[in-house]
Amino acid sequence: MSTSATCRFCGAVLTESFCDLGLSPLANSYVSADQLDQGERFYPLHAYVCSECYLVQLAEFETPEQIFGDYAYFSSFSRSWLEHARAYVEQTSARFDLGPSNQIVEIASNDGYLLQYFQRAGIDVLGIDPAVNVAEAARERGVPTLAEFFDAGLATRLLAERGPADVVLGLNVLAHVADPADFVDGVRTLVAHDGVVVIEAPDVRELVARRAFDTIYHEHLAYFSVTSLRNLLRRHGLEVVRVERVPVHGGSLRISAVVTGNGTRPDGSVAEALAAEERWGVGDAAAYRPLVEGAATVRDHLRTLVDDVRSDGAAVAGYGAAAKGTMLLNYCDLGTDSVGFVVDRNAAKHGRFVPGTRQPVLPVEALADARPEYLLVLAWNLLQEVVDQEAEHRGRGGRFIVPVPEPRVL
Ligand SMILES: [Zn+2]
C-alpha cells in the first residue's frame, strides 16, 4: 500500500511501510452504556519510517482533537508509575540542584502526579495539559495547571508572563503531538539559556524487540530513536547532551537537551546510543520488519491459546483497560466470547466498554465473584504489579496469560 502522506517532521514523502495493523477503533474511546446500540468508527493504523529523518510515524488520518477531548487516563492510578515519578524527582532535583528559585514547566502534566513531588520540595511548578478533566484534577490537588495544548504560541506567552523555565519536562508527550516541529520550537522558546529540557519517549528499538505492536495506536503518532530525536531537536536549536534508558512503557528513552552553544558538552552516552542505533539499522526498513511479523505470530498463538482454554471450559478475563489492551483485543479479534470482561483499578472506566470488542470494564473486585481461571494481562508493562496484587487469584489456582513478546502462561 502506498500513500502520498508526508513526514510530520521533515516533510519528505513517506514510502517505507513500518507496520500496517489494518483498521482499529480509537484505543481510549471507551464506549458508554447508552452508546452500546450505536456503531463505532474504525481508522487505518499504518506506521511508516521516514527515509530522510528516520522518524517512525503514523500516516495522518483524522483530526486529533477527537482523540484528546475526553481523555480518561489518570496517571495516579498506577502504583509503579507513582514510584517511578518519586524516584525521578529526587534524581532530577539533585542532578540539577533545583530549589525554590527554580521554575519547572511540565508539558502534558496529567493530574499533577509528578509535579506534586517537585512542589513538595519547594520548587515553582506549572503544569500544562489539554484534557480539561485531568487539569481540573491537578488543580484540586494544588498543582497549578493550564488546560491548553502546548505549542510555540503558548510558549511565547508563558515566556512573557513568567520568564524562562529552568527545566522543561515532556514525558511521553512528543509521541502524541501532531506537529512536533512547532512543539520543539515552543520548548526552545521557553527553556532558559542555561536550563535543561528532559524528554521521555518510547524507544522504537524496544518496540520492535518486544513485539509491542499493541502500543501502536492512533494516539501515538510517532515512535522515536535517539537518531530521529536528535535530528528533530537540532533543527530547533537544542542539542542532546545525555541519553538514558528507563523501564517505563515497555522501554523508553530519556533525552536531556540544552540550548545549542550554551557550553554544555554531550556526555559519552550520546555517541554510544547513536552508534548502537546505526549498527541496528535505524535508517533501514528491514530493521523494523520483525515487529509486523511478530504481531501476526502473537495473534495466531494467542488466539489458539485462548481457544484451547475456552474449549476446556475455563473462563478468561482481561486485566488492565489501557489503550494497548484495546489494541490487543481488537487486533487478535478476542471478543466477549473469548475474554468475558476486563478489570481495571480506575473507577472512571467502570461501567464502560472496550472500544471495538465491547468487553465491560469492571472493578478489580469483580474477579473474586467471577473467579475466572485465567487473567489475560493486557497491561503487561505492569506484569509484576498485577501478579503481586492478585494473590487471591493465584491462591485459588488462577493462571496469568502474558501476550507479548510471545504468548505464555504463568
Ligand atoms: Zn522525516
Side-chain angles (χ1 to χ4, degrees):
M1 185 177 125
S2 68
T3 173
S4 57
T6 53
C7 173
R8 57 183 75 242
F9 168 47
C10 78
V13 174
L14 298 172
T15 55
E16 295 281 5
S17 176
F18 162 55
C19 188
D20 186 354
L21 293 172
L23 290 167
S24 166
L26 297 179
N28 280 307
S29 294
Y30 286 83
V31 177
S32 64
D34 58 5
Q35 292 169 325
L36 279 177
D37 57 356
Q38 296 168 19
E40 284 175 69
R41 297 196 71 175
F42 282 56
Y43 301 88
L45 191 55
H46 192 173
Y48 290 82
V49 55
C50 174
S51 38
E52 294 295 320
C53 73
Y54 305 155
L55 182 67
V56 172
Q57 59 200 289
L58 293 190
E60 302 263 5
F61 54 108
E62 293 207 9
T63 164
E65 277 76 13
Q66 196 182 347
I67 298 177
F68 298 106
D70 180 30
Y71 200 49
Y73 185 77
F74 284 80
S75 297
S76 297
F77 284 96
S78 159
R79 280 181 195 160
S80 60
W81 186 239
L82 278 179
E83 275 158 31
H84 169 70
R86 192 177 303 127
Y88 178 77
V89 168
E90 273 176 23
Q91 195 192 350
T92 308
S93 306
R95 187 172 149 214
F96 300 114
D97 197 20
L98 297 174
S101 63
N102 296 114
Q103 188 193 156
I104 290 191
V105 174
E106 186 185 7
I107 304 163
S109 51
N110 208 279
D111 59 2
Y113 71 98
L114 182 66
L115 287 178
Q116 66 182 341
Y117 298 119
F118 283 111
Q119 201 174 32
R120 282 178 210 168
I123 300 161
D124 180 22
V125 303
L126 176 69
I128 300 166
D129 200 292
V132 174
N133 58 337
V134 291
E136 183 57 40
R139 285 193 292 265
E140 274 167 22
R141 63 155 52 117
V143 176
T145 302
L146 295 177
E148 292 186 52
F149 273 101
F150 180 83
D151 57 17
L154 177 59
T156 304
R157 203 182 91 207
L158 289 176
L159 183 70
E161 288 171 3
R162 301 169 47 94
D166 301 294
V167 179
V168 177
L169 294 176
L171 310 187
N172 292 299
V173 56
L174 202 47
H176 300 284
V177 173
D179 185 351
D182 180 73
F183 181 93
V184 175
D185 226 17
V187 170
R188 168 67 186 85
T189 299
L190 191 56
V191 70
H193 187 72
D194 57 353
V196 64
V197 176
V198 180
I199 288 172
E200 273 184 26
D203 182 354
V204 75
R205 280 169 69 202
E206 289 285 340
L207 173 76
V208 174
R210 287 168 184 260
R211 296 176 162 184
F213 64 89
D214 54 346
T215 63
I216 296 182
Y217 46 88
H218 296 101
E219 289 89 330
H220 276 168
L221 303 173
Y223 302 84
F224 294 94
S225 55
V226 177
T227 308
S228 62
L229 263 173
R230 184 164 165 264
N231 285 339
L232 173 59
L233 295 171
R234 263 201 167 164
R235 273 215 212 178
H236 296 273
L238 293 168
E239 190 64 35
V240 176
V241 293
R242 187 169 180 155
V243 176
E244 296 160 274
R245 274 164 217 292
V246 285
V248 294
H249 294 296
S252 291
L253 296 168
R254 181 188 295 157
I255 301 283
S256 302
V258 298
V259 173
T260 305
N262 87 343
T264 310
R265 298 175 63 111
D267 70 21
S269 62
V270 182
E272 199 178 300
L274 292 170
E277 287 185 351
E278 174 136 24
R279 282 195 301 276
W280 177 71
V282 67
D284 182 357
Y288 302 90
R289 210 159 287 141
L291 182 75
V292 70
E293 290 163 5
T297 307
V298 168
R299 178 182 56 196
D300 295 348
H301 291 184
L302 187 60
R303 276 220 58 93
T304 306
L305 177 61
V306 171
D307 286 350
D308 287 352
V309 161
R310 293 287 293 131
S311 61
D312 288 343
V316 183
Y319 196 107
K324 64 163 93 55
T326 303
M327 302 321 295
L328 190 92
L329 292 169
N330 278 279
Y331 180 73
C332 298
D333 194 21
L334 294 168
T336 49
D337 52 342
S338 304
V339 177
F341 62 93
V342 172
V343 296
D344 197 278
R345 288 156 50 89
N346 184 351
K349 289 180 178 170
H350 299 159
R352 293 185 163 222
F353 297 80
V354 175
T357 50
R358 302 279 177 107
Q359 280 87 0
V361 182
L362 305 175
V364 176
E365 291 71 30
L367 293 174
D369 297 327
R371 297 173 166 251
E373 285 81 0
Y374 290 85
L375 272 185
L376 173 60
V377 185
L378 300 168
W380 48 259
N381 55 314
L382 304 175
L383 176 62
Q384 197 51 52
E385 192 172 332
V386 172
V387 172
D388 290 348
Q389 274 167 19
E390 291 311 312
E392 220 179 289
H393 173 71
R394 278 184 288 131
R396 59 177 169 258
R399 315 283 298 270
F400 298 87
I401 301 173
V402 186
V404 298
E406 177 62 39
R408 64 190 204 276
V409 176
L410 294 183

